[in-house]
Amino acid sequence: MTTSDVELPGFADLGLGEPILKAIADAGYTHPTPIQAGAIPAVLAGRDVIGIAQTGTGKTASFTLPMLHILAHGRARARMPRSLILSPTRELATQTAANFETYGKYLNLSMALLIGGVGMGDQEKALEKGVDVLIATPGRLLDWFERGKVLLGGIQILVIDEADRMLDMGFMPDVERILNLLVGRRQTLLFSATMPPGVRRIIERFLQDPATIEVARPATLAENVEAVFVPVSGRDKRRALVKLIAQQAVSKAIIFANRKREVASLNRYLQSVGLNARDIHGDLEQVHRQATLDAFKADQVDFLVATDVAARGLDISDMPVVINYDVPFNPDDYIHRIGRTGRAGRSGRAFTLETPEEAKSVAAIEKLTGKPVRRLELPGEEPVTNGAKPAKPARERRPRREAANGEPRPAASRRGRAPAAMPSSRPAARRPAAKPEPLPEAPVVAFGDHIPRFLLRPVPVATPSKAKAG
DNA sequence: AAAAAAC
């Protein structure tokens, strides 16, 4: 069933109880999104549900709201949680927990968040007291189970969130193991952006007569996102990236790279040219990851350099731009990365740097999306000889103070200046240009050649990380 | 080719 073209009811029409409706109203929402309008009545009716939807569609509330309603009465026993939500990443689990807090504030329900990378003391205390809602990543949940601190026999509602991602990440054996620990009849809700065979198998084995709610076809790009590919030589991709940021007047973006080490060193580079950047990837401490994410959400950080840990699930609202520094190996990841922008019908822009070596990955994306990619040429992006210094501009003048330098910005964005470690950082780099150049209508268009001066100066040498061969 | 997740 597709609900996207149906007139939407208000939240009050969905059968949710007063305390929940009040919390929804407090949060400022009046009308459910299509996935919520479809899923909430089905969950309240006690049905198993398959939700085919990406984050940004209101997916999380489509299960938290009816779960709160169902769990509102009754009490949890020690170590016997009444519901379980499985998430692929710690960050997504944390967000889901926040969602339960928001909408459950007028209910007296207890919750525990079982994720790795954080201390076990609080988790144990919560489990001992008994929880109505248990939100977990598979590894830590099984850890607790093996310690005998959590029993899964009392689960009435199970949610498998981002099932396709669980599959990609190799969690399915763990998920199946957890599913087999549940006993008796319970309600199962499964959410997934795509439906690969591994996910279908889980559905066939563990869901009964599910209602399917689909709100967006998985491999389609949102109409409101302008996605363009930017051919680069690959010799000096970092410089090309900074040039792109300046030319397109990108003031806030998630920048994806394929490897953790690349993310880390790209982050240092962006900081060294004066951009307010931070990185997030799986080798960083959990507290650090969360702090970075919070700072980014609070507009204290302009550029989040990330691995695919941030590609899916994370609810970062109103992300205007996504940049792929690398073309993702897997075309599904492309869809998910791009899905960070253009949420809730807002317009968004997505840029993907593309070296000749990445042609295969680009072809895979074209195949998946079913349309040829649009290209945008950056001026001066012809291949450079290895090791050569960037050419000096013909007319070298003292760099003009970019007008944008003094441009007003929201106060919140002014915090978190360029790190002190970069004495050479130039403020001009932070506010590249006043207005974005319009994107081309035609597939291939060269841009005007306005490039802020600072970009034409020789760039500080990249970090001395060893490019290890073999 | 990578990333993600338990210690």
Side-chain angles (χ1 to χ4, degrees):
Chain A
M1 166 171 87
T2 301
T3 54
S4 53
D5 49 5
V6 174
E7 178 111 7
L8 295 179
F11 275 112
D13 304 317
L14 296 179
L16 296 166
E18 269 313 314
I20 300 165
L21 291 175
K22 193 152 174 269
I24 295 169
D26 287 355
Y29 294 108
T30 53
H31 290 271
T33 64
I35 184 83
Q36 290 161 1
I40 292 171
V43 178
L44 291 177
R47 296 201 53 189
D48 284 0
V49 167
I50 301 168
I52 305 175
Q54 310 215 18
T55 2
T57 56
K59 180 196 64 168
T60 305
S62 78
F63 62 84
T64 59
L65 297 174
M67 283 176 73
L68 286 166
H69 182 95
I70 293 169
L71 296 168
H73 302 289
R75 229 189 29 244
R77 290 185 288 158
R79 301 183 201 181
M80 294 273 280
R82 299 166 65 205
S83 65
L84 170 64
I85 296 100
L86 291 175
S87 299
T89 63
R90 299 165 184 173
E91 280 81 1
L92 179 60
T94 305
Q95 273 175 199
T96 304
N99 207 282
F100 272 106
E101 295 274 7
T102 302
Y103 299 117
K105 67 180 185 179
Y106 297 117
L107 296 169
N108 197 17
L109 292 173
S110 59
M111 181 174 78
L113 177 63
L114 304 187
I115 59 174
V118 296
M120 306 195 75
D122 290 350
Q123 296 180 5
E124 178 166 16
K125 260 184 251 165
L127 288 173
E128 279 300 331
K129 274 200 298 192
V131 294
D132 299 294
V133 178
L134 186 61
I135 302 152
T137 46
R140 185 57 77 92
L141 176 64
L142 285 171
D143 192 342
W144 279 120
F145 178 79
E146 280 157 14
R147 291 162 192 253
K149 299 289 187 185
V150 63
L151 303 168
L152 298 177
I155 303 287
Q156 298 159 35
I157 308 174
L158 169 73
V159 178
I160 304 168
D161 201 3
E162 309 251 345
D164 50 351
R165 180 146 206 228
M166 299 257 205
L167 180 75
D168 287 350
M169 288 166 53
F171 288 175
M172 274 311 172
D174 281 352
V175 170
E176 286 194 42
R177 214 182 128 204
I178 292 164
L179 284 166
N180 284 317
L181 293 171
L182 310 184
V183 291
R185 171 69 197 145
R186 80 270 158 180
Q187 196 174 355
T188 304
L189 320 175
L190 180 143
F191 291 85
S192 195
T194 60
M195 276 297 147
V199 172
R200 288 188 197 284
R201 219 184 67 219
I202 292 287
I203 289 169
E204 278 156 27
R205 278 187 57 195
F206 295 103
L207 274 70
Q208 283 178 30
D209 184 31
T212 300
I213 293 104
E214 177 170 7
V215 296
R217 290 210 354 266
T220 51
L221 292 173
E223 296 286 321
N224 48 320
V225 173
E226 302 206 62
V228 294
F229 282 64
V230 184
V232 296
S233 70
R235 287 262 185 256
D236 202 347
K237 240 174 144 182
R238 298 171 170 200
R239 201 178 146 80
L241 171 66
V242 175
K243 202 191 283 180
L244 176 74
I245 287 170
Q247 189 198 50
Q248 292 294 311
V250 178
S251 57
K252 186 163 177 108
I254 303 184
I255 300 168
F256 287 105
N258 286 352
R259 295 170 179 81
K260 289 182 279 196
R261 279 169 51 186
E262 184 69 60
V263 163
S265 73
L266 179 60
N267 177 54
R268 286 193 297 271
Y269 175 79
L270 293 179
Q271 290 179 345
S272 78
V273 299
L275 292 172
N276 180 13
R278 284 216 223 158
D279 57 351
I280 185 167
H281 59 77
D283 279 353
L284 296 171
E285 297 248 357
Q286 187 59 30
V287 282
H288 184 92
R289 279 161 61 171
Q290 193 62 48
T292 296
L293 201 54
D294 291 343
F296 187 63
K297 285 186 183 185
D299 279 339
Q300 293 160 12
V301 167
D302 296 332
F303 296 94
L304 184 68
V305 189
T307 59
D308 282 315
V309 70
R312 310 192 197 194
L314 293 194
D315 183 28
I316 300 166
S317 58
D318 198 23
M319 181 48 46
V321 177
V322 168
I323 299 175
N324 292 313
Y325 180 75
D326 295 316
V327 183
F329 298 123
N330 179 340
D332 279 343
D333 288 333
Y334 174 80
I335 303 292
H336 287 287
R337 289 181 183 184
I338 301 305
R340 303 299 88 209
T341 186
R343 314 282 286 274
R346 279 185 283 259
S347 65
R349 294 183 293 158
F351 301 97
T352 301
L353 298 188
E354 170 198 7
T355 63
E357 292 73 33
E358 294 173 303
K360 267 194 184 153
S361 302
V362 176
I365 290 166
E366 282 187 319
K367 190 168 174 230
L368 182 69
T369 58
K371 42 186 167 187
V373 301
R374 293 170 58 198
R375 291 209 166 76
L376 163 73
E377 282 172 13
L378 268 186
E381 261 318 294
E382 57 275 336
V384 183
T385 40
N386 202 2
K389 291 239 166 149
K392 268 198 154 186
R395 310 169 286 127
E396 182 65 81
R397 264 194 294 154
R398 190 178 129 64
R400 229 169 12 104
R401 282 246 182 278
E402 289 290 323
N405 193 20
E407 188 180 299
R409 275 196 99 200
S413 315
R414 302 247 61 150
R415 279 167 287 165
R417 307 293 317 199
M422 323 302 170
S424 68
S425 67
R426 313 281 301 207
R430 297 195 68 241
R431 310 277 92 217
K435 280 220 180 97
E437 311 243 352
L439 281 176
E441 298 295 333
V444 179
V445 179
F447 266 59
D449 54 9
H450 167 74
I451 302 172
R453 282 248 155 229
F454 73 93
L455 285 174
L456 298 174
R457 285 184 285 109
V459 160
V461 184
T463 48
S465 67
K466 305 243 187 310
K468 192 172 135 215

